[in-house]
Amino acid sequence: MALSFILPLLIWSIAAYGPWWKVAHQVILSAESSRLQSVYIIGDRLDPTTWGKFTQAIQQDNEEILKARESGQPIPLTARQNKKILRQLHSPAVINGWLTRSQETDDEAIRQVWLKLAAGELKATRRELSDDNIEIIEANAEMLKKSGAVWPTESLLKLLPESSEEVSRPVYLVPPDVVATSFWEGITADRPVSAESSEQGAERKTLLQRYGESWRTIVLGFLLAIIVAVPLGVIAGTFDFFSKLIEPFANFFSYMPAPAFGVVLMAIFGLDLGPKIMLVFLGTLPCAVLTIAKTTRRLDGSLLEAAQTLGANQRQLLLNVVVPGILPNLYNDLRLLFGTAWTWLVIAELLGFKSGLAEVIDTHGRRFQFDIVYPAILLIGLSGFCMDQILGFLSRFFFPWVDQPKQGFMGKISARLMKGMKQKYPGQAEHAASPSSLAP
């Protein structure tokens, strides 16, 4: 079993860490130049060639400004254009705590930051500026001082672009270590972080709180479906009349996609939890009825003949022969149906007010934040897999007379736990491990 997990992980790692990805420059301090056909903003990722052209263009602009000053004919620039140059410093100023995000257009506050930086009154604590940019800040501060309260009428120097280097992978190819880190931070967070905020007005919740919402939806929807499907399926599989009455419509309904009823469900049950539960219910019910009916028909006919020979009536046949006889296979059917119900979860939770893990997947997926999307998807997969393994393990205790498949992942873990308990508490562990103590 371990190999089936290791192989995809290995392929994922090779794809993410392979040497075929180039180094990219993510812009953290930007500038504009008429020499460039594109405007690069903070967060853009540029290949080395484009980054070289970008920085070279800004350097040429500054050299042109300095030459014009030395020739005694400085390049004229409006106050508005010079203010735009000074605003280059806003992003590092926010990161270092010198300005707030709302002061992006507060030119007087930005101007004071330039002057204080040049005077050495401000020190970068989170993101330091390059030495070249410090020199540019000092040169521009001299110009600002000379102009006094008004804005200079000649061009100020532009800050040189700065970047952080990273591997240029596709945005959807998040390395395994990044996903693992995000997964751990998500399940250990005790309060929502800013990145977790969803659409405006929506309640902020941690990943585990959303995970709990998903469990609530899937469990309620599935329980409701099997409460209806089990009696219908057993009756349809036992009596021909009910089979002809129930199964054709269930078969017809199973071909109708449950999400198509989303609008109807919202009209009936509102926008909160109701339509989500009902979508899981509608998606699971037809398949459950047909599967349980088929399982019921597979009951050994000799059991029914023996019971009829002993004089059992229809009610006794159903309750004392059919239901006990199909229980092991019915249990396995419900295991498979529970896995199928998880497939309806994401669609269900997008109905009405978004909730659960589907909200994380949808909201952050639209922002291309796949390092947050993948942990939510992994949680769904892990939940279904672990639940199936646990149910498979419990079936050994519920139905010890049935031939069981080879021990699975959870079975091996449980066997080791039992072995440890036997060594520590010989008498108690032996009693707890005895299948006959749990058998019906």
Side-chain angles (χ1 to χ4, degrees):
M1 176 186 288
L3 186 62
S4 66
F5 287 88
I6 293 173
L7 191 60
L9 181 61
L10 185 63
I11 295 172
W12 180 13
S13 300
I14 292 173
Y17 300 122
W20 37 77
W21 303 116
K22 296 179 180 178
V23 174
H25 294 265
Q26 185 168 23
V27 179
I28 59 176
L29 196 158
S30 188
E32 294 183 15
S33 172
S34 58
R35 302 174 192 275
L36 299 169
Q37 295 181 347
S38 302
V39 176
Y40 302 112
I41 61 174
I42 293 173
D44 284 350
R45 290 196 297 178
L46 309 179
D47 59 70
T49 304
T50 306
W51 174 254
K53 291 179 181 178
F54 182 27
T55 55
Q56 188 179 11
I58 303 302
Q59 288 172 344
Q60 289 175 347
D61 287 347
N62 285 345
E63 289 172 0
E64 187 176 335
I65 293 169
L66 292 174
K67 285 181 181 178
R69 287 180 187 173
E70 290 175 357
S71 65
Q73 295 180 337
I75 300 174
L77 216 62
T78 65
R80 181 178 179 182
Q81 290 171 314
N82 275 328
K83 289 177 182 177
K84 192 173 182 180
I85 291 175
L86 294 190
R87 289 176 187 174
Q88 283 184 267
L89 197 60
H90 177 258
S91 177
V94 171
I95 293 173
N96 286 303
W98 303 328
L99 293 172
T100 63
R101 292 189 182 278
S102 61
Q103 290 179 299
E104 186 176 9
T105 57
D106 188 346
D107 296 311
E108 285 302 327
I110 295 174
R111 177 175 176 156
Q112 291 303 316
V113 171
W114 280 76
L115 294 173
K116 290 180 179 178
L117 264 176
E121 298 176 13
L122 295 176
K123 297 292 182 184
T125 56
R126 296 181 179 177
R127 180 183 293 173
E128 295 186 356
L129 296 165
S130 66
D131 293 338
D132 290 337
N133 279 333
I134 292 295
E135 292 178 4
I136 291 172
I137 289 171
E138 292 173 350
N140 281 349
E142 287 297 322
M143 294 289 297
L144 293 171
K145 289 178 183 176
K146 287 180 182 177
S147 63
V150 297
W151 287 87
T153 55
E154 65 176 273
S155 178
L156 296 172
L157 295 173
K158 300 174 182 176
L159 290 177
L160 299 178
E162 295 184 8
S163 70
S164 60
E165 292 187 358
E166 61 177 39
V167 179
S168 179
R169 303 183 188 89
V171 66
Y172 53 81
L173 186 59
V174 185
D177 67 300
V178 176
V179 175
T181 303
S182 177
F183 183 86
W184 178 252
E185 291 175 350
I187 62 175
T188 57
D190 56 356
R191 60 180 178 180
V193 295
S194 57
E196 182 67 16
S197 60
S198 55
E199 293 180 351
Q200 190 173 7
E203 187 179 358
R204 294 182 179 183
K205 297 175 182 175
T206 63
L207 185 62
L208 284 184
Q209 287 174 324
R210 298 191 187 284
Y211 182 51
E213 291 178 345
S214 294
W215 267 105
R216 179 187 59 185
T217 302
I218 196 75
V219 168
L220 292 178
F222 180 72
L223 285 178
L224 187 60
I226 63 170
I227 287 173
V228 178
V230 168
L232 289 179
V234 171
I235 293 174
T238 306
F239 304 105
D240 288 340
F241 172 76
F242 288 104
S243 174
K244 294 175 183 177
L245 181 67
I246 297 172
E247 289 190 69
F249 182 77
N251 190 30
F252 161 73
F253 199 82
S254 67
Y255 287 101
M256 301 170 71
F261 296 94
V263 178
V264 179
L265 294 176
M266 286 190 289
I268 299 173
F269 298 100
L271 302 176
D272 205 357
L273 185 61
K276 301 172 177 55
I277 294 174
M278 292 309 297
L279 187 102
V280 175
F281 168 76
L282 288 182
T284 308
L285 180 65
C287 185
V289 171
L290 296 174
T291 303
I292 295 170
K294 185 177 179 182
T295 296
T296 305
R297 276 193 287 271
R298 288 167 54 194
L299 180 66
D300 189 355
S302 61
L303 296 175
L304 295 174
E305 292 173 359
Q308 287 172 332
T309 303
L310 294 173
N313 57 30
Q314 294 291 336
R315 181 175 177 275
Q316 289 172 325
L317 279 176
L318 181 63
L319 297 179
N320 299 332
V321 179
V322 174
V323 173
I326 66 169
L327 270 182
N329 289 331
L330 178 62
Y331 181 84
N332 288 329
D333 288 343
L334 295 183
R335 277 178 59 193
L336 296 175
L337 290 168
F338 189 65
T340 305
W342 278 97
T343 62
W344 297 109
L345 177 69
V346 174
I347 301 172
E349 290 186 325
L350 294 179
L351 289 179
F353 300 128
K354 296 177 187 175
S355 66
L357 295 175
E359 182 178 3
V360 178
I361 295 170
D362 182 68
T363 302
H364 293 282
R366 283 190 280 114
R367 300 172 185 168
F368 298 103
Q369 295 171 328
F370 293 103
D371 57 323
I372 301 174
V373 170
Y374 289 153
I377 297 175
L378 282 175
L379 264 180
I380 296 176
L382 286 173
S383 302
F385 175 76
C386 292
M387 196 66 196
D388 183 71
Q389 292 292 314
I390 292 171
L391 292 175
F393 171 72
L394 292 177
S395 68
R396 297 172 182 276
F397 297 95
F398 294 154
F399 314 106
W401 62 88
V402 178
D403 292 336
Q404 298 292 342
K406 191 177 177 181
Q407 217 172 30
F409 176 69
M410 295 299 295
K412 290 179 180 177
I413 293 177
S414 302
R416 292 184 181 181
L417 290 175
M418 288 295 181
K419 185 178 179 181
M421 289 178 65
K422 284 180 180 179
Q423 292 174 351
K424 194 169 184 180
Y425 308 105
Q428 297 178 12
E430 185 176 355
H431 176 73
S434 174
S436 60
S437 63
L438 297 175

